[in-house]
Amino acid sequence: MTGLDPGRLAPPEGFRRTARRLERAGFEAWGVGGSLRDTFVLQLLGDTVANPPEWDLATDARPDEVMELFRRTVPVGVSHGTVRVLDGDEHVEVTTFRRDVETDGRHARVVFASSIEEDLGRRDFTVNAIAWRPASGHVRDPYGGLADIESGILRAVGDPGARFREDYLRVLRGFRFAGRFGWAVEPGTDEALREAVDGLAVLSAERVREELMKVLGDPNPSAGLDLYATRGALAHWYPELLGLAADRGAWLAALGAVDAVPARELKVRLARLVVSAADTPEGRAEVAEALLSRLRFSNADRRHVTRLSRLFLPFVGPTDSAAEHRRWLASAGEAWEDVFALHFAGARAEEAERAEQAERYLEATRERVRREWLDEPPLSLADLAVRGDDLIELGMSPGPLVRLLLEELLEQVLEDPGRNDRARLLGEAGRLIEMGVLTEASRPGGGSGGPPAGDEPPGSDA
Ligand code: ATP
Ligand code: MG
């Protein structure tokens, strides 16, 4: 065993100052949780963990004592013991030692405790139950978290079944940590995870969503997401993914494509998962709607992911005409680059030779589409050089046929942007009215050229 290298324990100055001040006032100040875990992981694996550790501080000082001691504080969660101490541009979350006295699977009633040992005892996994006191250099690791990190094992603190029943979020956190670091789940912990998944139903949508977004923010979300599937955790919050997950090959391919989306594009990653779960644009949109509503995503996020899921296919190719590219842009609007990102991720997830070919194909397509987009051609009814009122002045009665005629004109303008000239469009409209082609029979599907490709104007999510 290597052991933790003390030279690596390098919290930011704000944390150090806060700890020193607490110690001078007679309190204990410990670095705990993710910071110790991530520091040791970094030591063992090098810089494969994307984010530098976040340093949380645990102390025996009570929240009111912390607020008295520091000039600038924010009571972010005083009832469960957390005060944010502001230090220049930095801030430190300072939490009083705690002990759970009552839990119901989603909330805990905590009381303040007097020792770091008690505090570590309520933490979820051994790897998260390590503490270090800068003032003395002492490391507390009562559950063997450092050894587990070194062996690559995720293990619950204490009786795993009991720990998950206290707070079912730990189940999802476990998937995330094991997936993020590629750890094996210790057999007893694993069995308890499988037994606890039904309890996920008691969690709030917000906590489940935040967990999902943290997994999606990892360099390779596939490992964590696969644990959701193999441990039976999809049923309550992600039923739309069950069919996909049942086909092992398709599921792993879908996860590979999620990994291939850049990590900062969380919503595109989510859409990439969704598009594999249904076969039609409507089906994909329904999956997105259902999943994101259940997880209470914001309306904007739900609309965006639904829109990307719907737009995924049919797609354009490099040999399509410029007019076809414009028609596609007319339906995709601002989302067009994200739709390309979905396809690029699918291509990158293919095997080497096919990946290269597929990427070249997509690059060629994107180049042409981008050129059209940068030309800023008219793409929607709002961009037309004529309005509905103009057509009514030409003698049309107000009603749905006005919109239909505008759509016919837009179709012509998408074909050739040079036709977006007021006099010319009015002439064309007059001709069409005279020909009488705009009868009920010319509604979508019924004749004269049809509506523009894509059945929604840019910016709409309907
Ligand atoms: P990350 O910040 O990368 O998500 P983390 O381990 O720092 O990982 P936080 O949510 O910041 O996670 O929590 C800090 C610490 O608090 C954890 O390391 C763990 O010791 C403890 N903790 C957090 N949530 C729970 C929980 N639901 N049950 C028990 N302990 C928890
Ligand atoms: Mg943290």
Side-chain angles (χ1 to χ4, degrees):
M1 289 281 147
T2 313
L4 179 63
D5 169 7
R8 292 228 165 219
L9 291 164
E13 207 36 56
F15 176 95
R16 286 186 173 281
R17 262 194 299 269
T18 306
R20 268 199 303 270
R21 179 149 204 173
L22 280 162
E23 293 276 354
R24 261 187 229 130
F27 300 109
E28 295 179 24
W30 295 81
V32 283
S35 48
L36 272 290
R37 178 196 69 218
D38 291 351
T39 298
F40 194 41
V41 168
L42 276 169
Q43 176 188 329
L44 295 174
L45 303 181
D47 294 318
T48 54
V49 186
N51 302 318
E54 231 178 47
W55 283 84
D56 295 324
L57 196 154
T59 181
D60 54 346
R62 302 296 154 107
D64 52 318
E65 295 172 315
V66 175
M67 288 191 286
E68 223 164 89
L69 198 56
F70 294 92
R71 204 157 44 84
R72 293 194 304 144
T73 59
V74 186
V76 285
V78 169
S79 62
H80 52 267
T82 305
V83 173
R84 177 175 298 156
V85 172
L86 306 176
D87 179 294
D89 303 339
E90 296 179 41
H91 63 83
V92 189
E93 307 283 327
V94 176
T95 303
T96 306
F97 297 154
R98 292 174 298 182
R99 181 160 55 79
D100 294 348
V101 285
E102 212 179 276
T103 55
D104 63 0
R106 54 188 297 177
H107 306 109
R109 198 161 66 78
V110 296
V111 293
F112 297 134
S114 49
S115 73
I116 184 69
E117 280 76 15
E118 277 178 284
D119 184 80
L120 294 176
R122 71 170 286 280
R123 293 173 186 266
D124 46 6
F125 298 101
T126 61
V127 296
N128 288 342
I130 309 167
W132 166 62
R133 189 175 180 184
S136 64
H138 283 132
V139 171
R140 287 274 190 284
D141 177 21
Y143 305 99
L146 291 170
D148 280 346
I149 292 174
E150 199 153 359
S151 321
I153 292 175
L154 182 86
R155 185 196 314 267
V157 166
D159 171 9
R163 304 316 308 280
F164 295 140
R165 284 191 297 277
E166 286 166 9
D167 179 2
Y168 288 100
L169 190 74
R170 293 169 185 165
V171 171
L172 300 180
R173 287 171 54 85
F175 296 152
R176 171 157 60 94
F177 296 127
R180 176 186 296 170
F181 300 114
W183 290 336
V185 184
E186 176 273 324
T189 300
D190 202 6
E191 200 186 318
L193 276 175
R194 292 171 195 269
E195 281 167 9
V197 290
D198 288 339
L200 294 173
V202 309
L203 294 175
S204 72
E206 288 71 19
R207 290 179 91 197
V208 175
R209 182 188 66 226
E210 275 167 27
E211 260 307 319
L212 174 68
M213 295 318 263
K214 285 184 182 178
V215 173
L216 287 176
D218 278 344
N220 293 308
S222 56
L225 292 173
D226 195 32
L227 287 168
Y228 278 59
T230 55
R231 271 46 176 187
L234 295 175
H236 185 77
W237 293 98
Y238 304 96
E240 291 79 11
L241 302 180
L242 282 170
L244 175 64
D247 177 344
R248 192 75 191 141
W251 171 247
L252 292 178
L255 294 184
V258 173
D259 285 350
V261 176
R264 54 180 193 287
E265 310 272 3
L266 296 188
K267 254 89 67 172
V268 181
R269 281 188 153 181
L270 185 52
R272 185 60 240 194
L273 186 60
V274 163
V275 295
S276 307
D279 298 328
T280 62
E282 298 71 36
R284 287 187 277 267
E286 273 168 32
V287 169
E289 271 291 333
L291 262 179
L292 278 83
S293 321
R294 186 179 304 112
L295 292 177
R296 304 224 187 117
F297 275 84
S298 71
N299 289 342
D301 286 352
R302 178 170 48 78
R303 288 202 196 107
H304 186 57
V305 173
T306 300
R307 186 170 170 71
L308 294 184
S309 306
R310 188 203 313 275
L311 285 166
F312 180 59
L313 288 171
F315 194 48
V316 278
T319 59
D320 289 339
S321 66
E324 277 163 300
H325 289 156
R326 284 191 293 272
R327 270 187 218 104
W328 184 76
L329 282 172
S331 62
E334 301 276 347
W336 75 271
E337 285 182 297
D338 282 350
V339 181
F340 268 91
L342 291 176
H343 286 282
F344 268 103
R348 275 194 293 274
E350 300 262 0
E351 276 151 45
E353 200 171 311
R354 286 185 58 190
E356 215 174 283
Q357 232 174 33
E359 281 188 77
R360 268 204 306 276
Y361 175 94
L362 286 169
E363 261 153 31
T365 312
R366 186 171 56 186
E367 222 15 72
R368 294 202 50 204
V369 170
R370 192 200 310 275
R371 236 178 292 148
E372 284 307 316
W373 178 257
L374 292 178
D375 270 352
E376 298 184 22
L379 293 176
S380 71
L381 296 184
D383 300 331
L384 278 180
V386 293
R387 300 262 164 274
D389 288 349
D390 298 323
L391 305 186
I392 291 165
E393 253 169 54
L394 283 183
M396 285 190 90
S397 353
L401 288 184
V402 172
R403 186 183 171 94
L404 208 61
L405 178 48
L406 288 172
E407 281 170 359
E408 169 59 27
L409 296 175
L410 176 60
E411 173 55 25
Q412 297 190 8
V413 165
L414 287 169
E415 187 62 38
D416 173 6
R419 291 194 210 168
N420 196 25
D421 168 85
R422 186 175 158 78
R424 186 167 178 169
L425 288 182
L426 287 175
E428 180 61 17
R431 195 176 66 84
L432 287 169
I433 293 169
E434 213 152 282
M435 279 167 66
V437 291
L438 285 159
T439 63
E440 286 301 313
S442 63
R443 285 180 162 283
S448 77
D455 44 13
E456 53 188 35
S460 132
D461 300 289

